[in-house]
Amino acid sequence: MRLRPLIVSTIALALLPLSGPAYAEDPTSTPTAPVTSPVTSPVTAEPTPGAPSGEGPAEAPTEAPAEAPSEGPAEGKVEEGLGVDGGTVRAIVELTEPAQNAPVATQAAAESVDVVLQPPSQSFMVVEGTSEELAQLAEDPRVTSIHRDRTYSPLDLGPNLTLIGADQAHAKGFTGAGQAVAVLDTGIDRDHPWFQNRIVDEACFSAVQAGVESLCPNGQTSQTGLGSADAMTPRCLAGGMNLCEHGSHVAGIAAGTGGVAPGANIIAVQVFSRVDDEDICGEPSCLLAFESSLRQAMDYVAASTQPIAAVNLSLGGELSETDCDGTEEGSIFKPKIDALLAKGIATVVAAGNEYFEGASYPACISSAVAVGANDNSDAIADFSNRGAVVDLFAPGVDVESAIPDNQTTVFSGTSMASPHVAGALALMKAASPDTPMTDLINTLKSTGRPYAYEANGTQVTTPRLDLAAALAGAAPQPTVSQSPPTAPTGDPAPEPDPSDSSGPSPEPEDPGVPEPEPTSSSEPIPLPTVTVTVTVTETAKAPAQVCTRGTAKKKLTAAKWAVEIHRSSGTIPDATLTCYLKLIGKSSKVFPEVTKASSLGTAYRVLKNTKTSKAALDSALLTAWLNWAHGTNGTTKLTAAEKVRLSAKASASARRKAAKNVA
């Protein structure tokens, strides 16, 4: 099962360290759930043409022939790849109507399918089962489709308010009073001085399963009412760190006393779960937001009687170069975003920190407000996603805001940019409560300072938030021509020696999985930390590297990537390679959901193993994805090859052909 984050520009989310939060500094791999290893049978597979011998780990070079599933009413209802290599998976079962929830759940339980979540008045439920059990469940005419319960990560995480003219808006009396911002994140420090009794509602929707723990204070999968989103509970703490700090930081930017809308109220909704699995997190603990939790949270906000201006989602998942309305994820979240918009509530989403010409889910949905990050010199942040899918830029570099234990700190990321826009919409709606939200959003776009740049081969103009022009009567600012993007700071991309090694490829130092030496924490590393008491103390820390795609245009072979990934044998730093695996996890449906490759050690074994057609395709796919993360463009062939890998009907020859195509 894949724990795909909404990713929250990620807090371990790695906080952007939402689904995790969206911190720019998170160099760790995207958390994913462990998957069951493929089961092999004594049928010898044909060797992949041109595959070097002796490069795979010692295992039987056999595989079971693909079996075509029987045709029937379930055909096409189950997402490709669910349990394709065995084991149970966590999946969302979509139903024809809410009234079918109880009877279908009863039937599923009678057939030994584990029903883990049955939301009241919802037309879906969450189950755990094998591919065969899910296929049988799909035959029920009350079931419309079955897909994995995706996860999202938080996006990694002064002068920012002056840059966007918020100080001028405040001086004219615009503070957002009478409106609220809903922050769907990792909870909130309820008694932080920045919030001053303006938290008017709280809720928690936190999925659980084996190895995944609820962050709701009551220990259950849901909780509502004041105290439900408390970010100071014991389950938020790990190794002396608070894993839940991302939500307080985001809420502080949107509506804290030092934020954009200091008079607005706050609705805090905890949507993350705690995972204590290093194979999933790349560290002992991390946070992920499941799709099922996000759906319940968005419905909770839609049903609220509070005057809400905006919902903020500083999290993200898979990347898309264009709007993603027609995709499976888009078809689920767009109606919810549209329903909120119909009630006058904007859904503001971090675009992501991958240095990608596009945006992550759900920012890529056309009716969401996708927000990229700029720095304090009015330039696009080097880590920020960009392009025609992005609606606005807002400050996202070195932004100071609240964190638990009554402190403040500085983070960077599109997670920090998004709440600037959510807070701005609270100001706009408070100033003009009868104006349709779509008009308020368009006003922010039309009055923003234009950034002109090239993305995906075309000239793009994206406005940067400017409240001085939108609210305070200032004249719109002139266009800023952005320089061609360069490699993000701290993301070295040295090339290895292009010549083949004359000796044998390096093997792991021991029979086990070669784990990389720890190079950094998944937590975003803050800049100076300032307490909010009378005494001010500062502790300088080195800024973390931005986790983003590289800029190298040269492709490496599987053998050369194995050299790079093997401990201390290549020229690309381990932190950069680990970041690449995280980015692959957001964009690939094979890694690490079907084939675990969430750490350098497991990725090394995938690259070296070509004994069967499945293994050879995995090696070719991982090689191609690594080249993409390193800076080469184009994912069309990768997507096509992944469909072959995820198909239960694919033959060995089809897999070999797909491997050749991506090679």
Side-chain angles (χ1 to χ4, degrees):
M1 177 202 71
R2 171 176 216 155
L3 299 182
R4 187 188 292 274
L6 265 179
I7 148 28
V8 210
S9 263
T10 283
I11 282 175
L13 280 187
L15 290 181
L16 326 122
L18 216 242
S19 132
Y23 289 126
E25 292 89 349
D26 176 18
T28 61
S29 59
T30 301
T32 54
V35 292
T36 303
S37 301
V39 178
T40 58
S41 73
V43 180
T44 303
E46 296 180 26
T48 302
S53 61
E55 291 193 356
E59 60 181 63
T62 59
E63 63 182 13
E67 296 181 3
S70 59
E71 301 290 329
E75 187 70 15
K77 286 187 181 180
V78 182
E79 179 183 358
E80 283 189 330
L82 277 184
V84 68
D85 282 352
T88 61
V89 292
R90 180 185 176 104
I92 291 179
V93 180
E94 304 287 354
L95 305 171
T96 54
E97 58 180 345
Q100 303 302 332
N101 197 312
V104 175
T106 300
Q107 181 65 28
E111 296 173 355
S112 300
V113 176
D114 188 10
V115 179
V116 297
L117 180 66
Q118 190 180 335
S121 303
Q122 297 282 341
S123 58
F124 77 91
M125 63 184 187
V126 181
V127 304
E128 288 184 356
T130 64
S131 60
E132 294 81 6
E133 291 169 340
L134 296 178
Q136 183 175 354
L137 183 59
E139 293 178 359
D140 192 318
R142 296 168 295 186
V143 173
T144 60
S145 66
I146 300 177
H147 65 271
R148 72 195 74 254
D149 191 359
R150 307 173 186 91
T151 61
Y152 300 84
S153 304
L155 300 182
D156 294 339
L157 304 176
N160 50 304
L161 297 185
T162 302
L163 181 68
I164 64 171
D167 56 337
Q168 297 181 48
H170 297 164
K172 290 185 175 292
F174 300 116
T175 65
Q179 293 296 321
V181 176
V183 179
L184 277 55
D185 213 289
T186 66
I188 196 166
D189 182 359
R190 305 183 67 252
D191 62 357
H192 198 291
W194 271 43
F195 304 131
Q196 295 183 343
N197 300 317
R198 286 182 292 106
I199 302 172
V200 295
D201 193 15
E202 297 175 61
C204 177
F205 302 96
S206 186
V208 299
Q209 65 176 50
V212 179
E213 190 174 12
S214 171
L215 287 172
C216 298
N218 65 2
Q220 303 301 307
T221 57
S222 65
Q223 184 177 349
T224 59
L226 294 179
S228 301
D230 190 356
M232 297 290 287
T233 62
R235 283 184 292 274
C236 280
L237 305 178
M241 302 292 292
N242 189 309
L243 299 177
C244 302
E245 63 186 8
H246 189 266
S248 298
H249 201 272
V250 169
I253 295 169
T257 57
V260 177
N265 289 326
I266 298 167
I267 296 174
V269 185
Q270 164 67 268
V271 294
F272 284 89
S273 301
R274 173 169 174 158
V275 182
D276 293 319
D277 189 328
E278 196 155 0
D279 287 339
I280 295 173
C281 301
E283 60 182 341
S285 301
C286 64
L287 306 186
L288 289 175
F290 283 80
E291 175 189 315
S292 53
S293 299
L294 286 166
R295 291 169 67 168
Q296 294 177 85
M298 294 177 77
D299 288 345
Y300 181 84
V301 173
S304 175
T305 58
Q306 295 285 342
I308 304 170
V311 173
N312 188 86
L313 293 172
S314 287
L315 48 80
E318 188 175 348
L319 300 170
S320 177
E321 293 180 1
T322 59
D323 82 58
C324 53
D325 294 358
T327 64
E328 186 173 16
E329 284 179 83
S331 66
I332 290 169
F333 280 102
K334 189 176 191 303
K336 296 192 178 296
I337 292 173
D338 291 348
L340 288 167
L341 193 58
K343 294 186 57 126
I345 304 171
T347 301
V348 186
V349 191
N353 303 330
E354 291 78 29
Y355 181 51
F356 181 74
E357 293 178 349
S360 60
Y361 282 85
C364 54
I365 294 172
S366 61
S367 45
V369 182
V371 185
N374 61 267
D375 62 22
N376 293 321
S377 62
D378 238 353
I380 298 175
D382 53 12
F383 54 79
S384 178
N385 291 347
R386 62 203 72 200
V389 182
V390 177
D391 296 297
L392 284 161
F393 284 104
V397 177
D398 297 350
V399 179
E400 183 179 3
S401 186
I403 58 171
D405 204 17
N406 296 346
Q407 296 184 3
T408 65
T409 196
V410 173
F411 289 144
S412 296
T414 56
S415 270
M416 284 65 253
S418 176
H420 280 83
V421 174
L425 288 170
L427 297 185
M428 299 287 288
K429 192 171 182 180
S432 185
D434 296 328
T435 302
M437 179 53 67
T438 51
D439 291 350
L440 298 179
I441 295 170
N442 287 332
T443 297
L444 288 185
K445 292 181 181 180
S446 63
T447 58
R449 184 171 198 180
Y451 282 3
Y453 58 99
E454 186 175 295
N456 293 316
T458 61
Q459 193 68 17
V460 177
T461 300
T462 307
R464 188 264 291 151
L465 179 64
D466 186 357
L467 283 168
L471 269 180
Q477 298 185 67
T479 299
V480 178
S481 180
Q482 299 290 325
S483 302
T486 56
T489 304
D491 184 17
E495 290 295 331
D497 185 348
S499 62
D500 290 328
S501 172
S502 58
S505 298
E507 294 298 329
E509 296 169 5
D510 56 67
V513 176
E515 293 297 336
E517 296 293 337
T519 55
S520 64
S521 168
S522 66
E523 290 288 341
I525 301 177
L527 295 176
T529 298
V530 184
T531 67
V532 294
T533 59
V534 176
T535 302
V536 177
T537 60
E538 296 188 2
T539 304
K541 296 184 180 181
Q545 292 184 359
V546 172
C547 179
T548 185
R549 290 178 65 211
T551 57
K553 303 300 181 184
K554 189 174 185 179
K555 296 182 179 180
L556 305 183
T557 64
K560 289 187 173 66
W561 276 117
V563 171
E564 289 295 336
I565 284 178
H566 187 269
R567 184 183 298 152
S568 304
S569 64
T571 59
I572 302 175
D574 283 355
T576 300
L577 294 167
T578 302
C579 167
Y580 286 175
L581 293 180
K582 172 191 171 183
L583 300 179
I584 292 168
K586 291 181 94 175
S587 300
S588 167
K589 292 185 177 180
V590 171
F591 307 111
E593 186 167 335
V594 174
T595 303
K596 189 187 297 183
S598 56
S599 68
L600 298 184
T602 53
Y604 176 89
R605 295 204 299 177
V606 171
L607 289 169
K608 299 291 286 183
N609 182 14
T610 57
K611 292 294 186 180
T612 67
S613 62
K614 279 185 180 179
L617 179 52
D618 284 347
S619 177
L621 279 168
L622 183 55
T623 299
W625 277 117
L626 284 166
N627 284 323
W628 170 83
H630 202 36
T632 60
N633 292 319
T635 59
T636 302
K637 289 185 177 180
L638 283 167
T639 301
E642 287 207 336
K643 287 184 178 179
V644 175
R645 177 63 178 87
L646 294 173
S647 173
K649 297 184 287 186
S651 64
S653 60
R655 289 192 288 263
R656 289 195 298 273
K657 182 178 180 181
K660 183 177 180 181
N661 286 340
V662 296

